[in-house]
Amino acid sequence: MTDFKKIEEEALLEVLHAAESYEEAALYNTEKVMQAFRKHMVSDFYLKPTTGYAYSDVGREKLDEIYADIFKTEAALVRSQFVSGTHALAVALLGVLKAGDEVIAATGTPYDTMQTIIGVPVKTPGSLTDLGVVYKEIPMIGSQIDLEKITAAITAKTKMIHIQRSCGYSSVRKTLRIEEIGTICKAAKAIKPDIICFVDNCYGEFIEKQEPTEVGADLMAGSLIKNLGGGLAPTGGYIVGRKDLVELASYRLTAPGLGGEMGATLGDTARELYQGLFLAPHIVLQAVKTAIFASAVFSRLGYQVTPSANDRRSDIIQTIRLETKERLCNFCIAIQKNSPVDAHVVPVPAIIPGYQDEIIMAAGTFVQGASIELSADGPCREPYNVYFQGGLTFEHGRIAIMSAAKMVGEK
Ligand SMILES: *Cc1c(COP(=O)(O)O)cnc(C)c1O
């Protein structure tokens, strides 16, 4: 008989120990956000809705400036008009790259939805390769970046290096730490100083004290229903980086000539984006603690977990190698059952646009699909990894993980 009570107690001790450095990062990042709010004199009228063209929407303009300050960049584009993180990433890439330009993926095969945007392995209509952009990919060697191959692949035509911070749905690579992103940027720029280092920062925001834009990333994008929305943002994405590059991206979001000067902030969105950003460092900490707890519990049940409880993390994702479809489904069923919304629903595997394999997802979230809220998903393919992330409160995460542990059982 598995002693779940004992496993839970031991896992809690591990969280207590391992969470210390993330608590420090949360404090540091809260201070960072507060300083930016103070500097830009955030006021009640920034939080009000706008309509129509929304010229000189001060709340929208100031939020861009606040994001730019937090990420230490020249410019930012923070918008509820981005329908997802994928959209923000696509707008950044499609805005900057032109036919004949070459882009090198330095961290191997990108996240599933990004493959559709790049147009690999299939040249999807409207994708980068369909538009005539040349794409090269350098796989990671296990958990390591292959710096030699990356630098050797750079030619006169190489316009951009694509770096994905988080491991995504890959079972072969690890999440990059900030220093490693810095190493890639530095090496690429040593060969070609005008190369654009682009980072997919999804799931990585506010885990560490620094962000990729502080170590050489020129352009970066991500989702607001992940870390930075703090659980409150109802939708949206962000792009931060060099002014000229963010501007090019803004012409793809709206239209050439219009850029970021327009776009209404409807309903309560402005408040949700500001308050979500204010909460984000703390919410990210809740998610990290939940991930550490899950790692500690499932390693005790005999499963391979990545990262392990004491590894240094650079995103909120916890991978658990469940090895059978039944366990993967049971895990997701348990998470769904312990969700605040749709707890009565039983998830089943299905094909989702943009993804290659059937995916099973558990997401009983207030904001549809928000993965800063407790959620689990996994593609139905070997080795049946479940990717688990989020948790607005550690208490909730703890309850759900213990339920999943009992449902999945020992290996
Ligand atoms: C989540 C994520 C994306 C974007 O996904 P959306 O669901 O469109 O927000 C892109 N890249 C990575 C690595 C991600 O984790």
Side-chain angles (χ1 to χ4, degrees):
M1 273 290 282
T2 314
D3 187 347
F4 286 105
K5 198 71 219 154
K6 180 158 170 277
I7 288 175
E8 184 172 15
E9 276 163 17
E10 287 175 0
L12 282 174
L13 280 178
E14 284 210 58
V15 173
L16 199 67
H17 174 76
E20 218 171 297
S21 68
Y22 306 103
E23 273 161 9
E24 208 182 294
L27 183 70
Y28 182 88
N29 287 318
T30 299
E31 182 68 35
K32 210 193 276 182
V33 173
M34 285 172 66
Q35 271 174 17
F37 274 39
R38 200 180 295 129
K39 177 181 162 191
H40 293 283
M41 298 185 279
V42 172
S43 257
D44 187 47
F45 62 92
Y46 290 14
L47 314 179
K48 299 277 187 256
T50 55
T51 56
Y53 298 143
Y55 291 126
S56 10
D57 175 338
V58 66
R60 185 194 67 212
E61 288 171 1
K62 289 294 177 184
L63 191 60
D64 283 351
E65 289 173 28
I66 287 167
Y67 265 64
D69 277 1
I70 287 169
F71 287 100
K72 304 196 169 47
T73 56
E74 293 172 0
L77 194 64
V78 187
R79 293 293 183 280
S80 60
Q81 282 84 5
F82 287 121
V83 302
S84 67
T86 300
H87 184 204
L89 289 152
V91 162
L93 294 174
L94 290 161
V96 168
L97 295 167
K98 294 189 174 68
D101 288 342
E102 188 178 83
V103 54
I104 299 174
T107 45
T109 307
Y111 188 75
D112 295 55
T113 59
M114 296 313 293
Q115 294 175 33
T116 314
I117 283 153
I118 293 163
V120 281
V122 185
K123 204 185 261 190
T124 29
S127 64
L128 291 176
T129 54
D130 188 38
L131 296 175
V133 172
V134 178
Y135 174 75
K136 291 197 250 179
E137 189 176 292
I138 311 294
M140 285 174 73
I141 327 168
S143 63
Q144 295 301 312
I145 41 181
D146 193 344
L147 211 53
E148 239 169 75
K149 280 229 178 80
I150 296 166
T151 48
I154 296 173
T155 68
K157 281 189 181 162
T158 312
K159 177 98 166 259
M160 179 186 278
I161 296 281
H162 169 279
I163 302 163
Q164 184 182 303
R165 180 174 179 179
S166 169
C167 65
Y169 282 159
S170 166
S171 50
V172 293
R173 62 156 288 193
K174 270 201 195 159
T175 293
L176 293 189
R177 300 242 308 263
I178 289 291
E179 307 89 270
E180 295 172 295
I181 293 172
T183 303
I184 302 174
C185 297
K186 207 168 153 198
K189 285 176 186 183
I191 306 253
K192 196 167 183 286
D194 65 345
I195 210 161
I196 299 163
C197 293
F198 174 78
V199 174
D200 174 348
N201 201 31
C202 280
Y203 287 132
E205 301 91 353
F206 288 159
I207 306 282
E208 305 200 35
K209 290 183 180 175
Q210 278 189 309
E211 296 293 339
T213 40
E214 292 170 68
V215 294
D218 303 291
L219 188 64
M220 187 163 85
S223 167
L224 293 189
I225 62 169
K226 293 181 180 172
N227 302 19
L228 286 181
L232 282 186
T235 184
Y238 74 96
I239 297 175
V240 292
R242 238 168 61 191
K243 192 166 186 292
D244 58 324
L245 302 176
V246 172
E247 195 171 315
L248 284 171
S250 76
Y251 298 145
R252 276 287 158 269
L253 170 63
T254 59
L258 304 183
E261 310 277 304
M262 297 171 77
T265 312
L266 303 176
D268 209 16
T269 308
R271 182 190 60 79
E272 289 158 339
L273 298 194
Y274 275 91
Q275 196 175 351
L277 177 63
F278 174 72
L279 289 176
H282 177 73
I283 299 293
V284 168
L285 176 63
Q286 303 306 298
V288 170
K289 285 169 79 171
T290 302
I292 296 169
F293 182 72
S295 184
V297 167
F298 277 82
S299 69
R300 278 173 177 71
L301 293 173
Y303 298 98
Q304 195 184 311
V305 291
T306 314
S308 61
N310 287 305
D311 282 344
R312 230 188 91 187
R313 287 163 194 264
S314 195
D315 68 14
I316 60 169
I317 300 181
Q318 179 63 47
T319 308
I320 306 167
R321 191 182 170 123
L322 293 171
E323 289 180 27
T324 69
K325 187 172 175 178
E326 192 193 354
R327 290 198 197 114
L328 171 63
C329 291
N330 279 339
F331 187 98
C332 292
I333 289 166
I335 296 301
Q336 186 73 38
K337 203 184 244 176
N338 286 280
S339 297
V341 178
D342 285 337
H344 56 284
V345 167
V346 181
V348 291
I351 292 284
I352 291 169
Y355 294 88
Q356 310 286 335
D357 296 277
E358 269 195 326
I359 310 254
I360 181 161
M361 291 189 169
T365 53
F366 292 101
V367 170
Q368 190 193 80
S371 42
I372 187 61
E373 298 186 50
L374 196 70
S375 50
D377 39 63
C380 290
R381 64 180 180 228
E382 298 275 358
Y384 297 99
N385 279 328
V386 72
Y387 298 86
F388 171 84
Q389 67 272 312
L392 296 180
T393 72
F394 175 61
E395 294 77 12
H396 173 214
R398 175 179 165 184
I399 292 165
I401 287 298
M402 286 318 295
S403 166
K406 286 167 192 164
M407 187 111 170
V408 171
E410 275 182 270
K411 193 174 136 184

